[in-house]
Amino acid sequence: MSGLERRRLPVPVLVAGLTAALVVVSVLALGLGAAHVPWRDTVGFLWAELTGGTVFAGDVANYRIVVDSRLPRVLLAALVGAGLGGVGLIVQAMVRNALADPYVLGISSGASVGATAVVLFGAFGALGTYALSTAAFTGALAATALVYLMARSAAGLVPLRLVLTGTAIGYGFSAATTVLVFLAPRGGDTARSVMFWLLGSLAGATWQMVPLIAAVAALGSAVIMLCARRLNALSMGDEVSAALGMNAARFRLLLFVLSAAMTGCFVAVCGAIGFVGLIVPHVARLLVGADHRRLAVLTPGLGAVFLVTADLLARTLIPPQELPLGAVTAAVGVPVFVLLMRRRGALVERG
C-alpha cells in the first residue's frame, strides 16, 4: 500500500470536515462585504428567518442585506459549485480525459452568444428580467444540438470525436461572440458587461433562481451516486463496460444529455464560471481515490466550498468593485491544484 493510500482519511470524516467548512465560509460570506455584519448578528438573522423570530428595528437594514441580498447569492454559489463539480466528474468519465471540464462540449460558448445578444442588442427584450437567462439557455441548447448532430456516429458518441467536436463548436461560438461585440452599436460599458458575464458572476442572484438550480444540482448528484459503478466501468473503456454487460454508447448519451442540461442551467444564471469542474474532481481523487462511489459523495461538497469561497473573494478583494468570478476561481484554483499534485507526487515516490 502506498503512502498516499495510508494517509487518506475516511469519507465520512472528509464529508464532516467539508460540511463544517461550508458552514464557516457561508457565515463569513453573509457577513462580509461593503456593509460589514458581525458574525453573531448574521447567525441571529438566519435563526430569526428560519424560526420566524423577531428582529430589532435598528437591525432591519442589516437583516435585509443578509437575508434578501447575500443569502440567495451564497446558496446559489454552493449549489452551482456542487453542480459544476459533479458535471466535471461526469464529463471526465464520459470522455476519459483528465483535462475535460463542463465546458469542453461547447455549451458555455453557445450560451455566451445568447447572453451577448441580449446585453448588446436587447434581444428577448419582451421577457424582461428573464431575457438574459432565457437567451443563454437557448444558446446552450443550440450548441448541445450541434455537438450531438456532428459528433454522433454508428458507434454512438465516441469520446475523442465528442471532445474534438465540442472544442470546434466552442471556438465557433466564441468567434460569433467576438463578432457581436465588434458590431455592437454601443461600446465601453456594454462590452465590459459582456466580458464580466463571460467570466461568470453571481451578482444577479435572486431567490427566484435558487429552487431551479437546487433541483438541477440535486438531480445531477443523485444520478452520479446511482450510476457510480457504471461510471467506474465507463472510465476504464468501452471494452470493460461491454464485458460487464453495460451498453457504453447508450450510457454515454445519457451522460451527455444530463451534463449538457446541467451546464446550460448553470451558465444561464451565472455565466461561464471556469475551472471548478476541472479542479474539483481532481482534488477529490487525490483525497479518496478514483472510485466514483466515493467521488460522488465528496465532489459536490468540495465544489460548494470552493465556489462560495471564490465568490467571497470576488466581492471583498477590491471593494467596492467586484471581480469576475471566473478570474478568481482560476487565480485560487491553479496554485492549489499545482501544490496538491506536487504533494501527491512526493507521497507516491516515498510510498
Side-chain angles (χ1 to χ4, degrees), residues 202-231:
L202 289 164
T206 64
W207 278 111
Q208 288 75 18
M209 298 176 180
V210 174
L212 172 63
I213 299 304
V216 172
L219 174 63
S221 298
V223 170
I224 295 173
M225 292 181 184
L226 291 173
C227 300
R229 292 181 180 274
R230 286 191 285 174
L231 285 171

Side-chain angles (χ1 to χ4, degrees), residues 138-228:
T138 301
L141 288 180
T144 301
L146 279 175
V147 170
Y148 173 73
L149 291 174
M150 296 177 65
R152 67 175 180 173
S153 63
L157 294 175
V158 180
L160 180 59
R161 185 166 180 170
L162 186 59
V163 171
L164 293 177
T165 303
T167 301
I169 293 296
Y171 277 119
F173 276 110
S174 295
T177 301
T178 303
V179 171
L180 289 176
V181 173
F182 181 77
L183 296 177
R186 299 170 292 169
D189 291 340
T190 53
R192 185 175 183 274
S193 298
V194 170
M195 182 58 66
F196 199 81
W197 191 89
L198 292 176
L199 292 174
S201 173
L202 289 164
T206 64
W207 278 111
Q208 288 75 18
M209 298 176 180
V210 174
L212 172 63
I213 299 304
V216 172
L219 174 63
S221 298
V223 170
I224 295 173
M225 292 181 184
L226 291 173
C227 300

Side-chain angles (χ1 to χ4, degrees), residues 57-145:
D59 293 330
V60 170
N62 284 341
Y63 172 80
R64 291 302 175 194
I65 290 173
V66 170
V67 173
D68 295 339
S69 178
R70 293 178 183 169
L71 184 56
R73 179 166 181 159
V74 170
L75 290 175
L76 205 61
L79 292 169
V80 171
L84 286 176
V87 176
L89 189 64
I90 291 175
V91 173
Q92 288 172 9
M94 178 175 63
V95 302
R96 300 201 303 273
N97 189 323
L99 295 178
D101 70 355
Y103 305 126
V104 75
L105 302 178
I107 299 166
S108 64
S109 298
S112 299
V113 172
T116 301
V118 172
V119 174
L120 297 180
F121 301 97
F124 292 83
L127 297 176
T129 57
Y130 298 100
L132 185 64
S133 57
T134 301
F137 190 71
T138 301
L141 288 180
T144 301

Side-chain angles (χ1 to χ4, degrees), residues 232-304:
N232 284 336
L234 189 67
S235 63
M236 290 186 288
D238 289 8
E239 294 80 7
V240 174
S241 300
L244 296 174
M246 188 181 82
N247 188 325
R250 184 179 301 172
F251 185 49
R252 187 173 288 112
L253 177 60
L254 170 66
L255 295 179
F256 172 75
V257 173
L258 176 66
S259 59
M262 291 178 66
T263 303
C265 289
F266 297 147
V267 173
V269 299
C270 58
I273 303 172
F275 212 75
V276 181
L278 173 63
I279 185 176
V280 168
H282 283 295
V283 174
R285 290 188 188 96
L286 291 173
L287 293 173
V288 298
D291 189 341
H292 285 81
R293 290 173 295 180
R294 291 178 289 181
L295 291 172
V297 176
L298 197 66
T299 300
L302 276 172

Side-chain angles (χ1 to χ4, degrees), residues 13-29 74 78 301-302 304-309 312:
V13 175
L14 291 170
V15 171
L18 283 174
T19 302
L22 182 59
V23 171
V24 171
V25 74
S26 296
V27 172
L28 289 174
V74 170
L302 276 172
V305 172
F306 179 60
L307 198 57
V308 172
T309 303
L312 172 61

